[in-house]
Amino acid sequence: MSVKLGQRTEETVAVYFERAQSAVIRAVLPQRARTLEEALADYRRTLEPGASSFGRTILADGQYVGDVWCYAMDPSGDPQAMVSYCVFEQAFWGRGVASEALGLFLEEIRERFGLERIGAFTFTANQGSVRVLEKNGFRLAETLVEDGTASGYYTKSIVSQD
């Protein structure tokens, strides 16, 4: 299967927002935007100079199946950004799409923004997401419980291998 990253557009943001509203995805992926208008406004902010977030679409065999993004980008911070991802097409779950897309994205943000230290949160019960992070070299740094739900905070160094 061919996995590539593509450009986000207002159209893909709208598709993503609609598809990510499914109960199964909402149960494992907290979402800030409550309306399509909020999601589009968030996307438009990523296009502004000095934006603190950046995202790409995930394409599997040419089909748009999800998104991967980083947020809270701060080159002086530790971590320098947080990363998240979602494959909304359930037919592609468990097939390595998210793992490969995240790997491609980490290379891109290292090259594009010079980021070297990345963090990620996932619910500990979301074993698929835990596997995606671990396959990409993230290590559990801390476990947190918020509103009765356990989450793992993971970190990774993506220093250039040059």
Side-chain angles (χ1 to χ4, degrees):
M1 174 177 334
S2 169
V3 175
K4 296 182 179 177
L5 301 180
Q7 297 296 320
R8 292 178 76 225
T9 64
E10 288 196 9
E11 180 180 298
T12 62
V13 169
V15 170
Y16 177 85
F17 181 80
E18 178 184 321
R19 298 300 306 273
Q21 299 309 303
S22 77
V24 69
I25 291 175
R26 290 188 68 78
V28 295
L29 182 67
Q31 297 172 41
R32 195 188 80 71
R34 300 289 179 220
T35 66
L36 176 57
E37 292 74 24
E38 288 177 356
L40 289 168
D42 287 346
Y43 163 71
R44 290 180 191 117
R45 279 191 287 280
T46 70
L47 303 176
E48 296 173 0
S52 64
S53 61
F54 172 75
R56 304 279 273 151
T57 59
I58 301 171
L59 306 170
D61 290 337
Q63 179 181 343
Y64 174 41
V65 300
D67 280 9
V68 58
W69 62 95
C70 60
Y71 58 97
M73 291 190 314
D74 176 1
S76 66
D78 192 10
Q80 294 171 308
M82 299 296 291
V83 71
S84 197
Y85 46 86
C86 176
V87 172
F88 56 70
E89 285 293 343
Q90 293 183 34
F92 289 88
W93 289 5
R95 297 177 60 191
V97 172
S99 293
E100 190 169 344
L102 180 57
L104 293 170
F105 187 72
L106 292 172
E107 287 177 30
E108 182 172 347
I109 62 173
R110 180 183 51 78
E111 291 172 10
R112 184 176 189 147
F113 300 107
L115 300 178
E116 298 176 346
R117 295 175 312 281
I118 307 299
F121 284 102
T122 191
F123 293 142
T124 55
N126 186 349
Q127 288 300 298
S129 184
V130 169
R131 283 190 299 279
V132 168
L133 292 171
E134 289 175 347
K135 284 180 183 179
N136 277 281
F138 282 80
R139 298 292 170 245
L140 180 64
E142 185 177 357
T143 301
L144 315 155
V145 177
E146 186 175 336
D147 297 327
T149 302
S151 294
Y153 170 59
Y154 290 78
T155 60
K156 176 180 176 59
S157 173
I158 56 172
V159 177
S160 175
Q161 302 295 321
D162 299 338

